[in-house]
Amino acid sequence: MKRRLIIFALAAFIFTGSLVLDGCKKTDRVMAARPIDFTIPPGFPPTVYSFQSNPLTEEGFRLGKKLFYDGRLSLDGTISCGSCHQPEAAFTTYEHDRSHGYNHSHTLRNAPGLSNLAWYPVFNQDGSASSLAALYQAHITSPIDMAETMGGVVAKLRQDDNYKQLFLEAFGDDKVTADRIYRALSQFVVSLVSANSKYDKVRLGQASFTAQEASGYQVFQQKCGSCHTEPLFTDFSFRNIGLEVDNNLKDYGRMRVTGSPADSLKFRVPSLRNLGYTSYYLHDGRLSIPRHVLWHYRTGVNAGPTVDPLVAGGISMTDTDEDNLVHFLRTLNDTAFFNNPRFRE
């Protein structure tokens, strides 16, 4: 009898000890989320995004990537962030003027390509989202985008054991919350850095422009660089470039946010990076190729009280200037960026 008691006690000790060790191992695995260093490309300005409040980790990035491509963020389970921001189109919608949303609706605007968001002070083409979290919430809850509620998204993800494990690894416990969804998505999207185009290599002395590209670069600096500031190729300002309002959409841009007539028809200056892969163009996708945009600036700028003085009356450019400029703009394409398997579903 005594021998049996000793054996039982020994077995209980071993079992309890193994639980303690397993618990330690589990805690070690959860607490050891692997940090990712965010490297600012040479010549780029400091980021606006705060990495201190939401440090990048491998586990957070992976969770954010899964969320980005998951249709369950929409009401009917068919629309994900990646539905409108497709890698093959440099994270815009491939060959679409405006993206498709919930119940086959069309969204209001042309989906912008996603890159270098860590440098953006505000989001959406009218600046209506002051943070990435506000951006996600607006699109998830918009009736023409994803038409869901954050409560609905959280409830769906809480039923998925795989997600609970991913939240555990990223945040230390398996609690699914809207804030953690926003934080994980942000870790993924701010990692989408595009800085490896031919233009970037020329800046670093690793390549050279052709004669036509070099001439186009001069045209760019003289005619375009005031608004499309290097190296991000946007100054993030809101400007009216002399487009007539679409009578069906009635989108007056920044004025929808501020309510000020002085902001009528003003939209954020878009980045020109990866221009060759982000067709269609302008806030509503009304033009299909970059050369059409140049034609607008040469001969199509409409007069109006809020038209930007830099484009009022059009931008003077010869046919040769235009051809050379098109060749330069092609040097802004960064195929390594959107072909990176780390960013794809």
Side-chain angles (χ1 to χ4, degrees):
M1 183 68 179
K2 185 176 181 180
R3 183 180 178 186
R4 288 180 181 177
L5 288 174
I6 293 173
I7 293 173
F8 177 81
L10 181 61
F13 174 78
I14 293 172
F15 178 73
T16 304
S18 68
L19 287 179
V20 172
L21 289 174
D22 285 345
C24 289
K25 290 178 181 177
K26 185 175 182 181
T27 301
D28 288 344
R29 178 167 57 83
V30 171
M31 297 304 292
R34 294 162 290 174
I36 299 174
D37 290 329
F38 185 89
T39 302
I40 296 178
F44 275 46
T47 61
V48 174
Y49 182 79
S50 173
F51 291 96
Q52 290 184 337
S53 61
N54 188 21
L56 296 183
T57 67
E58 184 63 28
E59 288 72 19
F61 172 91
R62 290 181 179 180
L63 173 57
K65 178 179 175 179
K66 182 173 176 62
L67 289 165
F68 185 86
Y69 291 110
D70 196 334
R72 282 175 287 184
L73 270 63
S74 66
L75 182 60
D76 62 4
T78 65
I79 306 296
S80 69
C81 303
S83 299
C84 298
H85 299 283
Q86 301 161 357
E88 59 270 23
F91 291 93
T92 183
T93 310
Y94 181 73
E95 294 294 337
H96 270 61
D97 54 352
R98 292 178 291 125
S99 305
H100 293 282
Y102 174 72
N103 197 27
H104 307 292
S105 62
H106 270 88
T107 56
L108 178 64
R109 296 183 181 139
N110 175 251
L114 300 184
S115 68
N116 303 333
L117 295 185
W119 286 270
Y120 279 57
V122 293
F123 304 92
N124 285 331
Q125 295 181 63
D126 56 10
S128 56
S130 60
S131 67
L132 284 171
L135 178 71
Y136 311 139
Q137 183 180 45
H139 285 295
I140 289 171
T141 60
S142 166
I144 63 171
D145 289 350
M146 302 169 88
E148 196 31 300
T149 65
M150 288 312 302
V153 173
V154 169
K156 284 184 279 190
L157 300 187
R158 283 177 177 170
Q159 301 302 313
D160 188 321
D161 288 340
N162 183 39
Y163 262 120
K164 291 169 72 174
Q165 179 63 32
L166 290 172
F167 276 87
L168 172 69
E169 293 172 355
F171 296 109
D173 62 63
D174 64 5
K175 186 180 295 185
V176 180
T177 68
D179 178 67
R180 286 180 171 183
I181 290 171
Y182 301 151
R183 289 173 63 191
L185 280 169
S186 294
Q187 290 193 43
F188 175 69
V189 300
V190 299
S191 299
L192 301 175
V193 175
S194 179
N196 195 32
S197 65
K198 181 176 182 179
Y199 160 84
D200 296 299
K201 293 174 182 176
V202 170
R203 276 198 316 126
L204 297 174
Q206 300 169 355
S208 299
F209 287 138
T210 66
Q212 198 165 20
E213 290 166 350
S215 295
Y217 184 35
Q218 292 181 344
V219 174
F220 170 83
Q221 291 175 310
Q222 295 166 5
K223 311 286 187 179
C224 316
S226 297
C227 302
H228 297 282
T229 309
E230 301 175 64
L232 295 167
F233 289 90
T234 173
D235 64 356
F236 305 109
S237 64
F238 300 92
R239 299 174 187 263
N240 178 350
I241 62 170
L243 293 169
E244 291 183 343
V245 67
D246 184 302
N247 287 326
N248 293 318
L249 299 176
K250 298 190 184 305
D251 184 359
Y252 288 88
R254 183 69 174 161
M255 189 173 73
R256 291 164 57 98
V257 179
T258 67
S260 171
D263 288 327
S264 177
L265 298 175
K266 291 184 179 181
F267 296 87
R268 186 185 62 216
V269 174
S271 174
L272 301 180
R273 284 183 172 271
N274 299 307
L275 193 70
Y277 296 91
T278 57
S279 177
Y280 287 19
Y281 304 100
L282 306 181
H283 67 276
D284 54 8
R286 69 179 67 183
L287 300 180
S288 59
I289 62 174
R291 200 176 284 269
H292 289 171
V293 179
L294 297 182
W295 293 350
H296 163 75
Y297 283 119
R298 291 182 68 180
T299 62
V301 176
N302 294 293
T306 64
V307 171
D308 195 279
L310 290 174
V311 300
I315 296 177
S316 176
M317 194 181 305
T318 68
D319 290 345
T320 300
D321 288 339
E322 179 186 307
D323 288 339
N324 292 341
L325 181 55
V326 167
H327 277 77
F328 166 70
L329 292 175
R330 290 172 182 161
T331 71
L332 304 181
N333 296 329
D334 180 0
T335 55
F337 161 63
F338 54 82
N339 285 325
N340 189 338
R342 182 167 170 78
F343 299 149
R344 288 176 171 259
E345 186 174 8

